[in-house]
Amino acid sequence: GEDVEQSLFLSVREGDSSVINCTYTDSSSTYLYWYKQEPGAGLQLLTYIFSNMDMKQDQRLTVLLNKKDKHLSLRIADTQTGDSAIYFCAEQRVVAGTALIFGKGTTLSVSS
Amino acid sequence: DAGVIQSPRHEVTEMGQEVTLRCKPISGHNSLFWYRQTMMRGLELLIYFNNNVPIDDSGMPEDRFSAKMPNASFSTLKIQPSEPRDSAVYFCASSTGQGQAFFGQGTRLTVV
């Protein structure tokens, strides 16, 4: 399809790991991104991965990229209540120039 | 740098009125993007500029929407006449053109 797809909701307990999945569309996308949006705020870049990488780790965040399946995931280890937010996956499609195309976002709810 | 600055943060207007949203990108960034966020459609790319030139405006929903970038430090998104279905949060973002986009805090537009 044309859209970047994400599941809409994820609910976890504090201390557990969260895994947010994304399917993107353009196999020639050069960079793939994860952004976080807290209520009433803009989007903050969390992490990104270059398309020739399979994995990137950054403290509690692990990004996995499966280019064959055009699947991207974000794992948050030891999830905290402060991680509750909307998480957006985005791809930089070649045909879109430098613009990022976003999924609809996954709302992560962390309960204590 | 103060980041991407958008004004106003909130705008309430009556149907039929003209609305102008403003954006100041990060100094030195040569790409500027306007996105619209709604619950139903998520984050939609409306238009983007590279070196002040509009590159892709295929996301602009109708002729009622127009965007300008008269110089490297200022852009406007205008809706004339506004309609209730234009109610959304409008984000401006800028980048160096290498991918990562930095977002403003957004303008929440309500058209009654």
Side-chain angles (χ1 to χ4, degrees), chain B:
Chain B
D1 199 316
V4 176
I5 299 172
Q6 291 187 246
S7 65
R9 288 295 311 275
H10 302 273
E11 175 83 32
V12 180
T13 191
E14 288 187 346
M15 184 172 68
Q17 296 298 305
E18 177 180 294
V19 174
T20 300
L21 311 182
R22 295 174 175 79
C23 175
K24 181 179 186 315
I26 292 173
S27 176
H29 283 191
N30 61 353
S31 294
L32 182 140
F33 313 90
W34 283 101
Y35 288 89
R36 178 172 70 176
Q37 185 178 30
T38 59
M39 289 288 291
M40 291 296 294
R41 296 157 92 71
L43 262 170
E44 301 172 277
L45 176 66
L46 300 178
I47 185 171
Y48 83 94
F49 295 84
N50 201 39
N51 294 321
N52 312 341
V53 175
I55 301 300
D56 183 357
D57 65 355
S58 59
M60 296 285 260
E62 298 171 37
D63 290 346
R64 298 184 296 106
F65 285 69
S66 62
K68 291 183 179 176
M69 191 164 186
N71 57 61
S73 58
F74 185 65
S75 177
T76 58
L77 177 68
K78 189 176 291 188
I79 309 172
Q80 165 63 16
S82 57
E83 296 182 5
R85 61 195 167 114
D86 301 331
S87 298
V89 181
Y90 291 81
F91 286 103
C92 176
S94 70
S95 80
T96 60
Q98 298 305 311
Q100 179 184 338
F102 294 83
F103 280 74
Q105 294 286 74
T107 294
R108 181 174 295 277
L109 173 65
T110 304
V111 183
V112 298

